[in-house]
Amino acid sequence: MSAKNHFRENMVTPSGSIPYGDSICSDGCVYSLDKFKPRFRLCWGNLVLRRLGMELDLSDQTVIEFIRDQVVFPLVDHSIVGNARSGSIVIYSWNFDGYLLMIQRFKAFGYSQPFYSLICEFNPNKSRDDFRFIKALISRLKDLLGDYFIWDDTRTDFTFDVPYQISDVRLLSRKNPASYMGTFYFGKRGESGYTRIYDKRQEMKDHYHTDIGSDWTRIEYESHSGYPVNYDPPFLLGDLGTHEVLRYVPMDAWPAALRTFDPKTARRIKRDGLRRIPFDPSQFDILYQRLLDRLELPAPYNVEYRNREEVEGEMYELERISAELRRFAKDID
C-alpha cells in the first residue's frame, strides 16, 4: 500500500474551514448531521383552531393565516414573505436564515377534511443562531398543541467525512449505483439508506471559494421517516497487485467489476487490495440524540408508510367523536 493511502492517525481535521455544528472526530474522520427535517402535526379536523376558541372552517387559507399569525410572525420579522404553492402537497412556505418552513396538506382516502402539518428543514452544521429559531418554534407549537404535540422525522442526513481523495475511496454496496458530475449515488432517492459520495474539498472551492488545504471526501447517508438505514462501510484502495487496472474503475462500477472475476479471486482482491476505513454508525445515534436534547424534542412519532393513512384516520375519527361528545355535554348543560 502506498504511503498516501495509510490511515491518517491523529490528524487535525479542517474544522475551521468546513462548517461543522456538533460533530465527533474519530480516527481522523468526522461524523456530523447535515440536514434535519422534522414535521409537526397541526390539525386533525379543526383541532388547533378549536383549542384557541376559534370556530373557523378548516381550509388551506385558514391554516395558512393561522400559522402565519400565530406561529411565524411572533417569531420572525414580518417583512419575511411567504410563497404559495399549487398542485403539490406543500401549499405554502417561508425561506429565511437557513430555515425552510412548509405547510403540508395530506388528504387521507375516505375522509372529507385534510390533515395539515408544519415542516421545518435546516442544516445543523450551518445553524448560525444556535438553533434559536427552531427552539422557539418548537416551544410555540408545544404551547398551542398541548397534549396533542406530535412530531415525526421525515429526513435526517448523516455525514461521514474521510481525509482521502475521492479517487481512492470505494463503497461496495448492493444498492443501485449511479454517478453524475463527480458525485456517486447508491440506492433509491427518497428512501432510507440513499447514499451520496463527493469531493468535499472541491465543493468548498466551488461554493465557498475556500481551499481547505487537503483532500476530504464526504459520505452522506439519508434517513427517511424512521426507516432503518443500511450504512455501507467505505473502503480505501491499497495495493491491487496484478489487478491494478481496477484503480481506474469508477466507484459505482466496482461491484459489477468484481463480479467479472470468479468468487475466490474477487474475495482475494477485496481482502488484499482494500482496507476498511474505521467507521462506527453508532456515533450518528449519539449526535442525533444530542440534537433532540438541545431542541427539547421527545422521541419522534414515526409511522411506517403502509400504516400512516390508517393511523392518521383513526386520530381524526377520535377527534371527531370527542367533538361530538363536547357538543352533547354542552347541550345538556
Side-chain angles (χ1 to χ4, degrees), residues 110-323:
Y111 295 91
S112 59
Q113 291 182 312
F115 309 125
Y116 292 91
S117 299
L118 182 66
I119 295 176
C120 181
E121 178 181 320
F122 66 99
N123 186 339
N125 272 334
K126 298 178 182 177
S127 178
R128 293 175 294 183
D129 61 358
D130 193 34
F131 307 128
R132 181 184 59 82
F133 170 76
I134 181 64
K135 288 192 287 190
L137 175 71
I138 292 168
S139 177
R140 179 64 176 160
L141 290 173
K142 285 180 177 179
D143 289 342
L144 291 174
L145 295 168
D147 294 339
Y148 291 95
F149 178 82
I150 292 177
W151 77 281
D152 62 308
D153 182 355
T154 66
R155 175 176 169 181
T156 300
D157 286 4
F158 301 101
T159 63
F160 182 56
D161 291 351
V162 299
Y164 308 105
Q165 58 188 9
I166 193 170
S167 60
D168 287 335
V169 176
R170 292 295 181 271
L171 200 72
L172 304 184
S173 176
R174 294 183 178 181
K175 302 168 188 171
N176 185 45
S179 61
Y180 179 70
M181 296 185 66
T183 298
F184 297 94
Y185 304 90
F186 296 86
K188 185 176 180 180
R189 186 182 296 273
E191 292 188 356
S192 275
Y194 184 63
T195 307
R196 287 181 300 277
I197 304 178
Y198 58 92
D199 186 334
K200 186 62 180 177
R201 182 180 186 180
Q202 189 60 49
E203 188 217 28
M204 294 296 294
K205 289 180 181 179
D206 294 341
H207 294 280
Y208 301 100
H209 309 291
T210 298
D211 187 351
I212 59 178
S214 59
D215 293 314
W216 281 81
T217 296
R218 170 158 291 187
I219 305 166
E220 291 183 351
Y221 305 91
E222 291 186 10
S223 169
H224 288 266
S225 300
Y227 281 94
V229 176
N230 179 17
Y231 297 103
D232 293 309
F235 293 84
L236 195 65
L237 282 181
D239 184 1
L240 294 169
T242 58
H243 305 290
E244 186 67 18
V245 67
L246 286 173
R247 185 175 301 277
Y248 306 99
V249 174
M251 189 185 311
D252 55 319
W254 249 70
L258 286 176
R259 287 196 294 271
T260 64
F261 297 93
D262 63 88
K264 184 177 180 180
T265 301
R267 287 194 297 270
R268 187 168 64 249
I269 292 172
K270 289 190 288 185
R271 182 193 66 209
D272 299 336
L274 295 175
R275 288 188 63 186
R276 185 181 292 230
I277 298 173
F279 175 55
D280 179 10
S282 68
Q283 302 285 14
F284 292 140
D285 297 332
I286 295 172
L287 289 169
Y288 185 74
Q289 188 57 54
R290 290 204 307 225
L291 176 63
L292 298 191
D293 291 343
R294 290 184 67 185
L295 300 180
E296 297 184 4
L297 275 173
Y301 181 78
N302 286 108
V303 182
E304 291 186 355
Y305 282 121
R306 65 176 180 266
N307 295 327
R308 187 177 300 278
E309 289 189 9
E310 177 183 350
V311 171
E312 290 190 308
E314 290 175 355
M315 290 178 178
Y316 171 74
E317 185 64 18
L318 286 173
E319 174 52 30
R320 187 190 65 77
I321 294 172
S322 297

Side-chain angles (χ1 to χ4, degrees), residues 7 23-25 40 47 54 56 65 83 88 96 107 120 132 143 201-202 224 238 243 294 296 329:
F7 292 117
S23 61
I24 296 175
C25 181
F40 306 96
L47 171 63
M54 300 179 184
L56 300 175
E65 292 176 357
N83 297 292
S88 67
F96 58 93
K107 186 67 179 297
C120 181
R132 181 184 59 82
D143 289 342
R201 182 180 186 180
Q202 189 60 49
H224 288 266
H243 305 290
R294 290 184 67 185
E296 297 184 4

Side-chain angles (χ1 to χ4, degrees), residues 29-44:
C29 304
V30 182
Y31 302 80
S32 66
L33 306 183
D34 203 52
K35 178 173 286 189
F36 186 47
K37 194 175 177 182
R39 173 170 53 194
F40 306 96
R41 308 303 179 87
L42 295 174
C43 299
W44 298 281

Side-chain angles (χ1 to χ4, degrees), residues 5-57:
N5 281 339
H6 281 294
F7 292 117
R8 304 178 185 181
E9 298 178 358
N10 302 318
M11 181 176 179
V12 177
T13 62
S15 57
S17 302
I18 297 178
Y20 290 115
D22 187 16
S23 61
I24 296 175
C25 181
S26 178
D27 295 303
C29 304
V30 182
Y31 302 80
S32 66
L33 306 183
D34 203 52
K35 178 173 286 189
F36 186 47
K37 194 175 177 182
R39 173 170 53 194
F40 306 96
R41 308 303 179 87
L42 295 174
C43 299
W44 298 281
N46 58 349
L47 171 63
V48 173
L49 305 182
R50 189 161 53 247
R51 277 183 59 82
L52 297 183
M54 300 179 184
E55 294 298 332
L56 300 175
D57 292 333

